[in-house]
Structure formats: C-alpha cells, structure tokens
Amino acid sequence: LLYGIAYLHRWTRHRMRFPNPDRELILSRHERSRVLTQNEVRKLWAVMSEELKDQFVLALECCMRKGEIFKLRWEQVGLKKGIVYLKAEDVKTGSQTGHGREFKLSRLAFTRLLARSGGNSPYVFPSRFDPLKPRTDNRRAWGNALKNAKINGKVRWHDLRHTSISNLILKFHRDPILVGEYAGLAVKTIQRVYLHSDAESTASCAVSQIS
C-alpha cells in the first residue's frame, strides 16, 4: 500500500528503499520523459535530413504524435488555411473521446509542408517501397541524428511532444485548457504528466499572503 502511494506520487527515495520490481515494470513512460533544451534542439536541427526536419517540426511545434505524423494524408491538410483535420480514428485518444483534432500549423510547419506538397502519394510521408502506404517509423534516422548531434542521455521521439507542451505552458505561458485542446489532451493529463516545474519556475508563487 505504501509503495503504491509512493509510486502514484513519484516518491523516488521511498521506491528505492522499498523496491517493487513488478510495479517498476509498468513505470509510466511519461515519468521518464525529458524536456529538450533550446541548444539541444538547435544541434539536432543542424544534423537532420530534410524529411526528418519536416517530421521534427510537426512533433515539436504542432504537438503531433508519431502515429499521427506518419498516417497524415494530404486530404487532411488544409494548405490554404494551414489547418490539419484529424478524424477520431487517427487520434490516439479518439476512441475514448469520440472525436478527432483540428489545429493550426505553426508558420515553419506550414512552410515545410507546402514545399512537400505536389507528390503522387496520398500520404505526407509515404513509404520508400510503396508510395500508397505510409512510412511506419523513423527510428534509425532519429538515432543517427542524436548520435551526430552528440546529445547526452537517452532521448525518445515522444520527448519532442513532451517538450512542446511543457514549453507552451511554462515558457510561453499559454492557457493549459487551450494547450489541451490543441494537443488533444485532457487538462488533468496536462497537469499530471506534462506540467513540470522547478523552484525557479514557481518562484513567483512565493509571495507574502499574511501581510
């Protein structure tokens, strides 16, 4: 029971003192997420291929999941208004909520997708072997980019989405409710998973309420 509470509230010291391998096996992937620094983003951008840059922008600036990126069809991209329309079956949480997502592309994402348009494939990122099928993964390209950029520590592709949402709230001070609608997340999920802060970030909360 105590370990369950420690696991829920992420009391790391308690979990190390009273280890429970079974619970550690289901450790949330979000707990292992990290926020990339601006310097790391610049290093990655400098060594990535053009196609990986297009995927990188959609993940970092548009909060798109990897599955949403690779399954994205041109018919879902409104190049006139720069809006992406995802159906419920195209969104990870669509089966739970019953609806998809509609969001506006960032300026850089819109520019790069516009440059990619005009191909014969219905997918924005088609398979190299069959243009009628979507690309399924970018693990090798991502691994090479991390190696060439000399990024220390393990960085997953999902960390780009984690970085994007955290920055929108903590760095750019966007409303968590609007961020949740943009990223396709519930506000409770944002508060529990993506909203990370430290002493410096919360310094403004240390005000004298007695006087």
Side-chain angles (χ1 to χ4, degrees), residues 186-200:
V187 177
K188 291 183 179 180
T189 303
I190 289 181
Q191 293 174 338
R192 178 174 56 88
V193 176
Y194 291 94
L195 191 55
H196 295 285
S197 60
D198 50 26
E200 294 296 329

Side-chain angles (χ1 to χ4, degrees), residues 110-123:
F110 175 77
T111 302
R112 297 195 69 89
L113 285 189
L114 190 62
R116 289 186 64 87
S117 62
N120 298 324
S121 175
Y123 292 96

Side-chain angles (χ1 to χ4, degrees), residues 59-113:
L60 186 61
E61 295 193 353
C62 302
C63 306
M64 292 189 69
R65 301 177 177 90
K66 180 186 286 190
E68 296 172 350
I69 294 174
F70 290 135
K71 294 179 182 179
L72 186 63
R73 293 173 172 266
W74 285 114
E75 63 185 19
Q76 297 173 304
V77 182
L79 291 178
K80 292 184 178 180
K81 296 182 178 180
I83 298 178
V84 173
Y85 306 91
L86 299 180
K87 299 179 181 179
E89 57 267 24
D90 300 321
V91 181
K92 180 181 178 180
T93 57
S95 58
Q96 302 174 3
T97 61
H99 56 79
R101 291 172 57 197
E102 292 185 8
F103 58 91
K104 188 174 181 61
L105 293 168
S106 67
R107 183 177 301 178
L108 181 58
F110 175 77
T111 302
R112 297 195 69 89
L113 285 189

Side-chain angles (χ1 to χ4, degrees), residues 70-72 121 123 125-128 130-137:
F70 290 135
K71 294 179 182 179
L72 186 63
S121 175
Y123 292 96
F125 299 100
S127 170
R128 296 180 180 179
D130 188 355
L132 298 180
K133 295 182 179 180
R135 182 178 290 275
T136 57
D137 204 1

Side-chain angles (χ1 to χ4, degrees), residues 26-83:
I26 59 173
L27 185 66
S28 171
R29 65 176 183 176
H30 297 294
E31 188 168 352
R32 296 180 279 115
S33 297
R34 55 170 291 188
V35 175
L36 277 71
T37 64
Q38 191 173 11
N39 187 41
E40 289 175 331
V41 171
R42 289 174 178 173
K43 287 182 178 179
L44 287 168
W45 185 263
V47 299
M48 287 188 297
S49 64
E50 294 301 317
E51 182 170 352
L52 190 61
K53 285 182 178 179
D54 295 342
Q55 301 166 7
F56 186 85
V57 169
L58 291 175
L60 186 61
E61 295 193 353
C62 302
C63 306
M64 292 189 69
R65 301 177 177 90
K66 180 186 286 190
E68 296 172 350
I69 294 174
F70 290 135
K71 294 179 182 179
L72 186 63
R73 293 173 172 266
W74 285 114
E75 63 185 19
Q76 297 173 304
V77 182
L79 291 178
K80 292 184 178 180
K81 296 182 178 180
I83 298 178

